[in-house]
Coordinates of all heavy atoms in Angstrom, one line a residue:
M1 N 0.9 -1.2 0.0 CA 0.0 0.0 0.0 C 0.9 1.2 0.0 O 1.8 1.3 0.8 CB -0.9 0.0 1.3 CG -2.1 0.8 1.1 SD -2.9 1.2 2.7 CE -3.1 -0.5 3.3
S2 N 0.6 2.2 -0.9 CA 1.4 3.4 -0.9 C 0.9 4.3 0.2 O -0.2 4.2 0.7 CB 1.3 4.1 -2.2 OG 0.0 4.8 -2.3
K3 N 1.8 5.3 0.6 CA 1.4 6.2 1.6 C 0.2 7.1 1.3 O -0.6 7.4 2.1 CB 2.6 7.1 2.0 CG 3.7 6.4 2.7 CD 4.7 7.3 3.4 CE 5.6 6.4 4.2 NZ 6.6 7.2 4.9
Q4 N 0.1 7.4 0.0 CA -1.0 8.2 -0.4 C -2.3 7.4 -0.2 O -3.3 8.0 0.2 CB -0.8 8.5 -1.9 CG -1.5 9.8 -2.3 CD -1.3 10.1 -3.8 OE1 -0.5 9.5 -4.4 NE2 -2.2 11.0 -4.3
I5 N -2.3 6.2 -0.6 CA -3.5 5.4 -0.4 C -3.8 5.2 1.1 O -5.0 5.4 1.5 CB -3.4 4.0 -1.1 CG1 -3.3 4.1 -2.6 CG2 -4.5 3.0 -0.7 CD1 -2.9 2.9 -3.4
A6 N -2.8 5.0 1.8 CA -3.0 4.9 3.3 C -3.6 6.1 3.9 O -4.5 6.0 4.7 CB -1.6 4.6 4.0
R7 N -3.1 7.3 3.5 CA -3.7 8.5 4.0 C -5.1 8.7 3.6 O -5.9 9.1 4.5 CB -2.9 9.7 3.4 CG -1.6 10.0 4.2 CD -1.1 11.4 3.8 NE 0.3 11.4 4.2 CZ 1.3 11.2 3.4 NH1 1.1 11.1 2.1 NH2 2.6 11.2 3.9
S8 N -5.5 8.3 2.4 CA -6.9 8.5 2.1 C -7.8 7.4 2.8 O -8.9 7.7 3.2 CB -7.1 8.4 0.6 OG -6.9 7.1 0.1
R9 N -7.2 6.3 3.1 CA -7.9 5.3 3.9 C -8.1 5.7 5.3 O -9.2 5.5 5.9 CB -7.2 3.9 3.9 CG -7.3 3.2 2.6 CD -7.0 1.7 2.7 NE -7.9 1.0 3.6 CZ -7.7 -0.3 4.0 NH1 -6.7 -0.9 3.5 NH2 -8.5 -0.9 4.8
I10 N -7.1 6.3 5.9 CA -7.2 6.9 7.2 C -8.3 7.9 7.3 O -9.1 7.9 8.2 CB -5.8 7.4 7.7 CG1 -4.9 6.2 8.0 CG2 -6.0 8.2 9.0 CD1 -3.4 6.6 8.2
K11 N -8.3 8.8 6.3 CA -9.3 9.9 6.3 C -10.7 9.3 6.2 O -11.6 9.7 7.0 CB -9.0 10.7 5.0 CG -10.0 11.9 4.8 CD -9.5 12.7 3.6 CE -10.4 13.9 3.4 NZ -11.5 13.5 2.4
K12 N -10.8 8.3 5.4 CA -12.1 7.6 5.2 C -12.5 6.9 6.5 O -13.7 7.0 6.9 CB -12.0 6.6 4.1 CG -13.3 5.9 3.7 CD -13.9 6.7 2.5 CE -15.4 6.2 2.3 NZ -16.4 7.3 2.3
L13 N -11.6 6.3 7.2 CA -11.9 5.6 8.5 C -12.4 6.6 9.5 O -13.3 6.3 10.3 CB -10.7 4.8 8.9 CG -10.4 3.5 8.2 CD1 -9.0 3.0 8.4 CD2 -11.4 2.4 8.6
F14 N -11.7 7.7 9.6 CA -12.2 8.7 10.6 C -13.5 9.3 10.2 O -14.3 9.6 11.1 CB -11.1 9.8 10.7 CG -10.1 9.5 11.8 CD1 -8.9 9.0 11.4 CD2 -10.3 9.7 13.1 CE1 -7.9 8.6 12.3 CE2 -9.4 9.3 14.1 CZ -8.2 8.8 13.7
E15 N -13.8 9.4 8.9 CA -15.1 9.9 8.5 C -16.2 8.9 8.9 O -17.3 9.2 9.4 CB -15.2 10.1 7.0 CG -14.6 11.4 6.5 CD -14.3 11.4 5.0 OE1 -14.9 10.6 4.3 OE2 -13.6 12.3 4.6
E16 N -15.9 7.6 8.7 CA -16.8 6.5 9.1 C -17.0 6.5 10.6 O -18.1 6.2 11.1 CB -16.3 5.2 8.6 CG -16.4 5.0 7.1 CD -17.8 5.2 6.5 OE1 -18.7 4.6 7.1 OE2 -17.9 5.8 5.4
A17 N -15.9 6.7 11.3 CA -15.9 6.6 12.8 C -16.9 7.7 13.3 O -17.7 7.5 14.2 CB -14.5 6.8 13.4
D18 N -16.8 8.9 12.7 CA -17.7 10.0 13.0 C -19.1 9.7 12.8 O -20.0 9.9 13.6 CB -17.2 11.3 12.3 CG -18.0 12.5 12.8 OD1 -17.8 12.7 14.0 OD2 -18.7 13.1 12.0
K19 N -19.4 9.1 11.6 CA -20.7 8.7 11.2 C -21.3 7.6 12.2 O -22.5 7.7 12.5 CB -20.8 8.2 9.8 CG -20.9 9.2 8.8 CD -21.1 8.6 7.4 CE -20.2 9.1 6.4 NZ -20.1 8.2 5.2
A20 N -20.5 6.7 12.5 CA -20.9 5.6 13.3 C -21.1 5.9 14.8 O -21.9 5.3 15.5 CB -19.9 4.4 13.3
F21 N -20.5 7.0 15.2 CA -20.4 7.3 16.6 C -21.7 7.4 17.4 O -21.9 6.8 18.5 CB -19.6 8.7 16.8 CG -19.3 8.9 18.3 CD1 -18.3 8.3 18.9 CD2 -20.0 9.9 19.0 CE1 -18.0 8.5 20.2 CE2 -19.7 10.1 20.3 CZ -18.7 9.5 20.9
K22 N -22.7 8.1 16.8 CA -24.0 8.2 17.4 C -24.7 6.9 17.7 O -25.3 6.7 18.7 CB -24.9 9.1 16.5 CG -24.9 10.5 16.9 CD -26.0 11.2 16.1 CE -25.8 12.7 16.1 NZ -26.6 13.4 15.1
K23 N -24.6 6.0 16.7 CA -25.3 4.7 16.8 C -24.4 3.6 17.5 O -25.0 2.8 18.2 CB -25.7 4.2 15.4 CG -26.8 5.0 14.8 CD -27.1 4.4 13.5 CE -27.8 5.3 12.6 NZ -27.7 4.9 11.2
N24 N -23.2 3.6 17.2 CA -22.3 2.5 17.7 C -20.9 3.0 18.0 O -20.0 3.0 17.1 CB -22.3 1.5 16.5 CG -21.7 0.2 17.0 OD1 -21.0 0.1 18.0 ND2 -22.0 -0.9 16.2
K25 N -20.7 3.3 19.2 CA -19.4 3.8 19.7 C -18.3 2.8 19.4 O -17.2 3.1 19.1 CB -19.4 4.1 21.2 CG -19.7 5.5 21.5 CD -19.3 5.7 23.0 CE -20.0 6.9 23.6 NZ -19.6 7.1 25.0
K26 N -18.6 1.5 19.7 CA -17.7 0.4 19.5 C -17.1 0.4 18.1 O -15.9 0.1 17.9 CB -18.3 -0.9 19.9 CG -18.2 -1.2 21.4 CD -18.6 -2.6 21.7 CE -18.6 -2.9 23.2 NZ -19.3 -4.1 23.5
L27 N -18.0 0.6 17.2 CA -17.6 0.6 15.8 C -16.7 1.7 15.5 O -15.7 1.5 14.8 CB -18.9 0.6 14.9 CG -18.7 0.4 13.4 CD1 -18.1 -1.0 13.1 CD2 -20.1 0.6 12.7
S28 N -17.0 2.9 16.0 CA -16.1 4.0 15.9 C -14.7 3.7 16.4 O -13.7 4.0 15.8 CB -16.6 5.2 16.6 OG -17.8 5.7 16.1
N29 N -14.6 3.1 17.6 CA -13.3 2.7 18.2 C -12.6 1.7 17.3 O -11.4 1.8 17.2 CB -13.5 2.1 19.6 CG -14.2 3.1 20.5 OD1 -14.1 4.3 20.3 ND2 -14.8 2.6 21.6
R30 N -13.3 0.9 16.7 CA -12.7 -0.1 15.8 C -12.1 0.6 14.5 O -11.0 0.2 14.1 CB -13.8 -1.1 15.3 CG -13.4 -2.2 14.4 CD -12.7 -3.4 15.1 NE -12.2 -4.3 14.1 CZ -10.9 -4.6 14.0 NH1 -10.0 -4.1 14.8 NH2 -10.5 -5.4 13.1
Y31 N -12.8 1.6 14.0 CA -12.3 2.3 12.9 C -11.0 3.0 13.2 O -10.1 3.1 12.5 CB -13.3 3.3 12.4 CG -14.5 2.7 11.6 CD1 -15.8 3.1 11.8 CD2 -14.3 1.8 10.6 CE1 -16.9 2.6 11.1 CE2 -15.3 1.2 9.9 CZ -16.6 1.7 10.1 OH -17.7 1.1 9.4
V32 N -11.0 3.6 14.4 CA -9.8 4.3 14.9 C -8.6 3.3 15.0 O -7.5 3.6 14.6 CB -10.0 5.0 16.3 CG1 -8.7 5.5 16.9 CG2 -11.0 6.1 16.1
E33 N -8.9 2.1 15.5 CA -7.9 1.1 15.7 C -7.3 0.7 14.3 O -6.1 0.6 14.1 CB -8.5 -0.1 16.3 CG -7.5 -1.1 16.9 CD -8.2 -2.4 17.3 OE1 -9.4 -2.3 17.8 OE2 -7.6 -3.4 17.2
I34 N -8.2 0.6 13.3 CA -7.7 0.2 12.0 C -6.9 1.3 11.4 O -5.8 1.1 10.9 CB -8.9 -0.1 11.0 CG1 -9.7 -1.4 11.6 CG2 -8.4 -0.4 9.6 CD1 -11.0 -1.5 10.9
A35 N -7.3 2.6 11.6 CA -6.6 3.7 11.1 C -5.2 3.8 11.7 O -4.2 4.1 11.0 CB -7.4 5.0 11.3
R36 N -5.2 3.6 13.0 CA -3.9 3.6 13.7 C -2.9 2.6 13.2 O -1.8 2.8 13.0 CB -4.1 3.4 15.2 CG -4.6 4.7 15.9 CD -4.7 4.4 17.4 NE -3.5 3.9 18.0 CZ -3.3 2.7 18.6 NH1 -4.3 1.9 18.7 NH2 -2.2 2.3 19.0
K37 N -3.5 1.4 13.0 CA -2.6 0.3 12.5 C -2.1 0.6 11.1 O -0.9 0.3 10.9 CB -3.5 -1.0 12.5 CG -3.5 -1.6 13.8 CD -4.1 -3.0 13.8 CE -4.1 -3.6 15.2 NZ -5.2 -4.6 15.4
I38 N -2.9 1.1 10.3 CA -2.4 1.5 8.9 C -1.3 2.5 9.1 O -0.2 2.4 8.4 CB -3.6 2.1 8.0 CG1 -4.6 1.0 7.7 CG2 -3.0 2.7 6.7 CD1 -5.9 1.5 7.1
G39 N -1.5 3.5 9.9 CA -0.5 4.6 10.1 C 0.8 4.0 10.7 O 1.9 4.4 10.2
M40 N 0.7 3.1 11.6 CA 1.9 2.6 12.2 C 2.7 1.7 11.2 O 3.9 1.8 11.2 CB 1.5 1.7 13.4 CG 1.3 2.5 14.7 SD 1.2 1.5 16.1 CE -0.4 0.8 16.0
K41 N 1.9 0.9 10.5 CA 2.6 0.0 9.5 C 3.4 0.8 8.5 O 4.5 0.4 8.1 CB 1.4 -0.7 8.7 CG 1.7 -2.1 8.5 CD 0.5 -2.8 7.8 CE 0.7 -4.2 7.5 NZ -0.5 -4.8 6.9
L42 N 2.9 1.9 8.1 CA 3.6 2.7 7.1 C 4.4 3.9 7.6 O 4.8 4.8 6.9 CB 2.6 3.2 6.0 CG 2.0 2.1 5.1 CD1 0.8 2.6 4.4 CD2 3.0 1.5 4.2
N43 N 4.4 3.9 9.0 CA 5.1 5.0 9.6 C 4.6 6.4 9.2 O 5.4 7.3 9.0 CB 6.6 4.9 9.2 CG 7.4 4.6 10.5 OD1 7.1 4.9 11.6 ND2 8.5 3.9 10.2
L44 N 3.3 6.5 9.2 CA 2.7 7.8 8.8 C 2.5 8.6 10.1 O 2.0 8.0 11.1 CB 1.4 7.6 8.1 CG 1.4 7.1 6.7 CD1 -0.1 6.9 6.3 CD2 2.1 8.0 5.8
K45 N 2.7 9.9 10.0 CA 2.3 10.7 11.1 C 0.8 11.0 11.0 O 0.3 11.3 9.9 CB 3.0 12.0 11.0 CG 4.3 12.0 11.7 CD 4.8 13.5 11.8 CE 6.2 13.5 12.6 NZ 6.7 14.9 12.6
M46 N 0.1 10.8 12.1 CA -1.3 11.1 12.1 C -1.5 12.6 11.8 O -0.9 13.5 12.5 CB -1.9 10.8 13.5 CG -2.5 9.5 13.6 SD -3.9 9.1 12.6 CE -3.9 7.4 12.7
P47 N -2.4 12.9 10.9 CA -2.6 14.4 10.7 C -3.2 15.0 12.0 O -3.9 14.3 12.7 CB -3.7 14.4 9.6 CG -3.6 13.0 8.9 CD -3.1 12.1 10.0
K48 N -2.8 16.2 12.2 CA -3.2 16.9 13.4 C -4.6 16.8 13.8 O -5.0 16.6 14.9 CB -2.8 18.4 13.3 CG -1.7 18.8 14.1 CD -1.5 20.3 14.1 CE 0.0 20.6 14.4 NZ 0.4 22.0 14.0
K49 N -5.5 17.0 12.8 CA -6.9 17.0 13.1 C -7.4 15.7 13.6 O -8.4 15.6 14.4 CB -7.8 17.5 11.9 CG -7.6 16.7 10.7 CD -8.7 17.2 9.7 CE -8.5 16.5 8.3 NZ -9.5 16.9 7.4
Y50 N -6.7 14.6 13.2 CA -7.2 13.3 13.7 C -6.6 13.0 15.1 O -7.2 12.2 15.8 CB -6.8 12.2 12.7 CG -7.4 12.4 11.4 CD1 -6.7 12.1 10.2 CD2 -8.7 12.9 11.2 CE1 -7.2 12.3 9.0 CE2 -9.3 13.1 10.0 CZ -8.5 12.8 8.9 OH -9.1 13.0 7.6
K51 N -5.5 13.6 15.4 CA -4.9 13.4 16.7 C -5.8 13.8 17.8 O -5.8 13.3 18.9 CB -3.6 14.3 16.8 CG -2.4 13.6 16.3 CD -1.2 14.4 16.7 CE 0.1 13.8 16.0 NZ 1.2 14.8 16.2
R52 N -6.6 14.8 17.5 CA -7.6 15.3 18.5 C -8.8 14.4 18.6 O -9.7 14.6 19.4 CB -8.1 16.7 18.2 CG -6.9 17.7 18.3 CD -7.5 19.0 18.0 NE -6.4 20.0 17.8 CZ -6.5 21.3 17.7 NH1 -7.7 21.8 17.8 NH2 -5.5 22.1 17.5
Q53 N -8.9 13.4 17.7 CA -10.2 12.7 17.6 C -10.1 11.3 18.2 O -11.0 10.5 18.1 CB -10.6 12.6 16.1 CG -11.2 13.9 15.7 CD -11.6 13.8 14.2 OE1 -11.9 12.8 13.7 NE2 -11.7 15.0 13.6
F54 N -8.9 11.0 18.8 CA -8.9 9.8 19.6 C -8.0 10.0 20.8 O -7.2 10.8 20.9 CB -8.5 8.6 18.8 CG -7.1 8.6 18.3 CD1 -6.0 8.1 19.1 CD2 -6.7 9.1 17.1 CE1 -4.7 8.1 18.6 CE2 -5.4 9.2 16.6 CZ -4.4 8.6 17.4
C55 N -8.2 9.1 21.8 CA -7.5 9.2 23.1 C -6.2 8.5 23.0 O -6.1 7.4 22.5 CB -8.3 8.6 24.2 SG -7.5 8.5 25.8
R56 N -5.1 9.1 23.4 CA -3.8 8.5 23.4 C -3.6 7.4 24.4 O -2.7 6.6 24.3 CB -2.7 9.6 23.7 CG -2.5 10.6 22.7 CD -1.2 10.4 21.9 NE -1.1 11.4 20.9 CZ -0.2 12.4 21.1 NH1 0.5 12.5 22.2 NH2 -0.1 13.4 20.2
H57 N -4.5 7.4 25.4 CA -4.4 6.4 26.4 C -5.2 5.1 26.1 O -4.7 4.0 26.2 CB -4.8 7.0 27.8 CG -4.0 8.2 28.1 ND1 -2.7 8.1 28.6 CD2 -4.3 9.5 28.0 CE1 -2.2 9.4 28.7 NE2 -3.2 10.2 28.4
C58 N -6.5 5.3 25.8 CA -7.4 4.2 25.6 C -7.7 4.0 24.1 O -8.4 3.1 23.7 CB -8.6 4.3 26.4 SG -9.7 5.7 26.0
Y59 N -7.3 5.0 23.3 CA -7.4 4.9 21.8 C -8.9 4.9 21.4 O -9.2 4.4 20.3 CB -6.7 3.7 21.2 CG -5.2 3.8 21.5 CD1 -4.6 2.8 22.2 CD2 -4.4 4.8 21.0 CE1 -3.2 2.9 22.5 CE2 -3.1 4.9 21.2 CZ -2.5 3.9 22.0 OH -1.2 4.0 22.3
K60 N -9.8 5.4 22.2 CA -11.2 5.5 21.8 C -11.4 6.7 21.0 O -10.7 7.7 21.1 CB -12.0 5.4 23.0 CG -12.0 4.0 23.6 CD -13.1 3.8 24.7 CE -13.0 2.4 25.1 NZ -13.2 2.2 26.5
Y61 N -12.4 6.6 20.1 CA -12.8 7.8 19.3 C -13.4 8.8 20.2 O -14.3 8.5 21.0 CB -13.8 7.3 18.2 CG -14.2 8.5 17.3 CD1 -13.3 8.8 16.3 CD2 -15.3 9.2 17.4 CE1 -13.6 9.9 15.4 CE2 -15.7 10.2 16.6 CZ -14.8 10.6 15.6 OH -15.1 11.6 14.7
L62 N -13.0 10.0 20.1 CA -13.5 11.1 20.9 C -14.2 12.2 20.1 O -13.7 12.5 19.0 CB -12.3 11.8 21.6 CG -11.5 10.9 22.6 CD1 -10.3 11.8 23.2 CD2 -12.3 10.3 23.7
K63 N -15.3 12.6 20.6 CA -16.1 13.6 20.0 C -16.2 14.8 21.0 O -16.7 14.6 22.1 CB -17.4 13.1 19.6 CG -18.0 14.0 18.4 CD -19.2 13.2 17.8 CE -19.9 14.1 16.8 NZ -19.2 14.5 15.6
N64 N -15.7 15.9 20.6 CA -15.7 17.1 21.5 C -17.1 17.4 22.0 O -18.0 17.5 21.2 CB -15.0 18.3 20.8 CG -14.8 19.4 21.8 OD1 -14.8 19.3 23.0 ND2 -14.7 20.6 21.2
G65 N -17.2 17.5 23.3 CA -18.6 17.8 23.9 C -19.4 16.6 24.1 O -20.5 16.7 24.8
V66 N -19.0 15.5 23.6 CA -19.8 14.3 23.9 C -19.0 13.4 24.9 O -19.5 13.2 26.0 CB -20.1 13.5 22.6 CG1 -20.9 12.2 22.9 CG2 -20.8 14.4 21.6
N67 N -17.9 12.9 24.5 CA -17.1 12.1 25.4 C -15.7 12.7 25.6 O -14.8 12.0 26.1 CB -17.0 10.6 25.0 CG -16.3 10.4 23.7 OD1 -16.1 11.4 23.0 ND2 -16.0 9.2 23.4
S68 N -15.5 13.9 25.2 CA -14.3 14.6 25.5 C -14.5 16.1 25.6 O -15.5 16.6 25.1 CB -13.3 14.3 24.4 OG -13.6 15.1 23.2
R69 N -13.5 16.7 26.2 CA -13.5 18.2 26.3 C -12.2 18.7 25.8 O -11.1 18.2 26.2 CB -13.7 18.6 27.8 CG -15.0 18.3 28.4 CD -16.0 19.4 28.4 NE -17.2 19.0 29.0 CZ -18.3 18.5 28.4 NH1 -18.2 18.3 27.1 NH2 -19.4 18.2 29.0
V70 N -12.2 19.6 24.9 CA -11.0 20.1 24.3 C -10.8 21.6 24.8 O -11.7 22.4 24.6 CB -11.0 20.0 22.8 CG1 -9.6 20.5 22.2 CG2 -11.2 18.6 22.4
R71 N -9.6 21.8 25.3 CA -9.3 23.2 25.7 C -7.9 23.5 25.3 O -7.1 22.6 25.1 CB -9.4 23.4 27.2 CG -10.8 23.4 27.8 CD -10.7 23.6 29.3 NE -10.1 22.5 29.9 CZ -9.2 22.5 30.9 NH1 -8.7 23.7 31.3 NH2 -8.7 21.4 31.4
T72 N -7.6 24.8 25.2 CA -6.2 25.1 24.9 C -5.7 25.8 26.2 O -6.4 26.5 26.9 CB -6.0 26.1 23.7 OG1 -6.9 27.2 23.9 CG2 -6.3 25.4 22.4
N73 N -4.4 25.4 26.6 CA -3.8 25.9 27.8 C -2.3 26.1 27.6 O -1.6 25.1 27.3 CB -4.1 25.0 28.9 CG -3.6 25.5 30.3 OD1 -3.5 26.7 30.5 ND2 -3.3 24.6 31.2
K74 N -1.8 27.3 27.8 CA -0.4 27.6 27.7 C 0.2 27.0 26.4 O 1.2 26.2 26.4 CB 0.4 27.0 28.9 CG 0.0 27.8 30.1 CD 0.7 27.2 31.4 CE 0.1 27.8 32.6 NZ 0.5 27.0 33.8
G75 N -0.4 27.2 25.3 CA 0.2 26.8 24.0 C 0.0 25.3 23.7 O 0.6 24.7 22.9
K76 N -0.9 24.7 24.5 CA -1.1 23.3 24.3 C -2.6 23.0 24.2 O -3.4 23.7 24.8 CB -0.6 22.4 25.5 CG 0.9 22.2 25.4 CD 1.4 21.4 26.5 CE 2.9 21.2 26.4 NZ 3.5 21.4 27.7
V77 N -2.9 22.0 23.4 CA -4.3 21.5 23.3 C -4.5 20.4 24.4 O -3.7 19.5 24.4 CB -4.7 21.0 21.9 CG1 -6.1 20.5 21.9 CG2 -4.5 22.0 20.9
V78 N -5.4 20.6 25.3 CA -5.6 19.6 26.3 C -6.9 18.9 26.1 O -8.0 19.6 26.0 CB -5.6 20.3 27.7 CG1 -5.7 19.2 28.8 CG2 -4.3 21.1 27.9
I79 N -6.8 17.6 25.9 CA -8.0 16.9 25.6 C -8.3 16.0 26.8 O -7.4 15.2 27.2 CB -7.8 16.0 24.3 CG1 -7.5 16.9 23.1 CG2 -9.1 15.2 24.0 CD1 -6.8 16.1 22.0
Y80 N -9.5 16.1 27.3 CA -9.9 15.3 28.4 C -10.8 14.2 27.9 O -11.8 14.4 27.3 CB -10.6 16.1 29.5 CG -11.1 15.3 30.7 CD1 -10.3 14.6 31.5 CD2 -12.5 15.1 30.9 CE1 -10.7 13.8 32.6 CE2 -13.0 14.3 31.9 CZ -12.1 13.7 32.8 OH -12.5 12.9 33.8
C81 N -10.4 12.9 28.2 CA -11.1 11.8 27.7 C -12.1 11.3 28.8 O -11.6 11.0 29.9 CB -10.2 10.7 27.3 SG -11.0 9.1 27.0
M82 N -13.3 11.3 28.5 CA -14.3 10.9 29.6 C -14.4 9.4 29.6 O -15.0 8.8 30.5 CB -15.7 11.5 29.3 CG -15.7 12.9 29.5 SD -17.4 13.5 29.0 CE -17.0 15.3 28.7
E83 N -13.8 8.7 28.7 CA -13.9 7.2 28.7 C -12.9 6.7 29.7 O -13.2 5.8 30.5 CB -13.5 6.7 27.3 CG -14.4 7.2 26.2 CD -15.8 6.6 26.1 OE1 -16.0 5.6 26.8 OE2 -16.6 7.2 25.4
C84 N -11.6 7.2 29.7 CA -10.7 6.7 30.7 C -10.3 7.7 31.7 O -9.4 7.5 32.6 CB -9.4 6.1 29.9 SG -8.4 7.3 29.1
K85 N -10.8 8.9 31.6 CA -10.6 10.0 32.5 C -9.1 10.4 32.6 O -8.6 10.7 33.6 CB -11.1 9.7 33.9 CG -12.6 9.3 33.8 CD -13.3 9.3 35.2 CE -14.8 9.2 35.1 NZ -15.3 8.4 34.0
K86 N -8.5 10.5 31.4 CA -7.1 11.0 31.4 C -7.0 12.1 30.4 O -7.9 12.3 29.5 CB -6.2 9.8 30.9 CG -5.9 8.9 32.0 CD -5.0 7.8 31.5 CE -4.7 6.7 32.6 NZ -4.1 5.5 32.1
Y87 N -5.9 12.9 30.5 CA -5.7 14.0 29.7 C -4.6 13.7 28.6 O -3.7 13.0 28.9 CB -5.2 15.2 30.5 CG -6.2 15.8 31.4 CD1 -6.3 15.3 32.7 CD2 -7.1 16.8 31.0 CE1 -7.3 15.8 33.6 CE2 -8.0 17.3 31.9 CZ -8.1 16.8 33.2 OH -9.1 17.3 34.0
T88 N -4.8 14.2 27.4 CA -3.8 14.2 26.4 C -3.4 15.6 26.1 O -4.3 16.4 25.9 CB -4.4 13.5 25.1 OG1 -4.8 12.1 25.5 CG2 -3.3 13.4 24.0
R89 N -2.2 15.9 26.0 CA -1.7 17.2 25.7 C -1.0 17.2 24.4 O -0.1 16.4 24.2 CB -0.8 17.8 26.8 CG -1.6 18.1 28.0 CD -0.7 18.4 29.2 NE -1.5 18.7 30.4 CZ -1.9 17.7 31.2 NH1 -1.6 16.5 31.0 NH2 -2.6 18.0 32.3
I90 N -1.4 18.1 23.5 CA -0.8 18.2 22.2 C -0.2 19.6 22.0 O -1.0 20.5 22.1 CB -1.7 17.9 21.0 CG1 -2.3 16.4 21.2 CG2 -1.1 18.0 19.7 CD1 -3.5 16.2 20.2
P91 N 1.1 19.7 21.8 CA 1.6 21.1 21.7 C 1.1 21.8 20.4 O 1.0 21.2 19.4 CB 3.1 20.9 21.5 CG 3.4 19.4 21.8 CD 2.1 18.7 21.6
L92 N 0.8 23.0 20.6 CA 0.3 23.8 19.4 C 1.5 24.5 18.8 O 2.4 25.0 19.5 CB -0.6 24.9 19.9 CG -2.1 24.7 20.1 CD1 -2.8 25.9 20.6 CD2 -2.8 24.3 18.8
K93 N 1.6 24.5 17.5 CA 2.7 25.2 16.8 C 2.2 26.2 15.9 O 1.3 26.0 15.2 CB 3.6 24.2 16.1 CG 4.8 23.8 17.0 CD 5.8 23.0 16.3 CE 6.8 22.3 17.2 NZ 7.6 21.4 16.5
Ligands
ZN101 ZN1 -9.2 7.6 27.0

């Protein structure tokens, strides 16, 4: 699989995760897992916007205002995961 194909598959998987979220959270989490695996296999960096859409600790799909809270603090994006109750900090550049 080329990196370009992988990127478009990851994009698609996150879109599907978002669509599935309302009805089936587990399915969303599964999509995130697949997207992560593709990324790891090809050593792809997760695009910034997707980094905010899953938890670094439990890897669950996160939706701001539903099962996560996103804030910015001192130049960092702080994501609180309500699934595992942990924080993920992503530096803003
Ligand atoms: Zn979590």
Side-chain angles (χ1 to χ4, degrees):
M1 204 195 304
S2 77
K3 286 195 173 181
Q4 205 182 347
I5 293 168
R7 277 195 199 99
S8 70
R9 284 198 64 186
I10 289 170
K11 181 172 177 266
K12 190 90 191 131
L13 284 161
F14 272 97
E15 281 167 12
E16 290 301 319
D18 189 58
K19 273 189 232 165
F21 190 75
K22 264 188 197 169
K23 288 182 200 161
N24 191 343
K25 269 195 198 179
K26 272 191 185 163
L27 189 59
S28 295
N29 297 338
R30 179 85 187 115
Y31 286 135
V32 170
E33 197 188 328
I34 298 165
R36 281 182 54 241
K37 276 188 183 155
I38 293 170
M40 278 192 283
K41 219 176 182 179
L42 292 167
N43 248 329
L44 287 180
K45 272 192 178 174
M46 268 294 164
K48 250 186 205 164
K49 59 174 177 175
Y50 300 142
K51 273 188 187 169
R52 296 182 193 192
Q53 285 176 26
F54 66 88
C55 173
R56 291 253 184 104
H57 304 282
C58 65
Y59 301 116
K60 286 190 175 141
Y61 185 78
L62 298 177
K63 206 165 169 69
N64 188 20
V66 182
N67 62 350
S68 76
R69 296 261 181 270
V70 180
R71 283 182 298 135
T72 50
N73 184 27
K74 291 174 189 167
K76 282 184 182 133
V77 180
V78 183
I79 303 158
Y80 176 65
C81 170
M82 290 178 202
E83 304 287 345
C84 68
K85 306 196 166 32
K86 282 181 183 165
Y87 293 91
T88 299
R89 289 171 183 85
I90 301 168
L92 275 177
K93 261 189 195 170

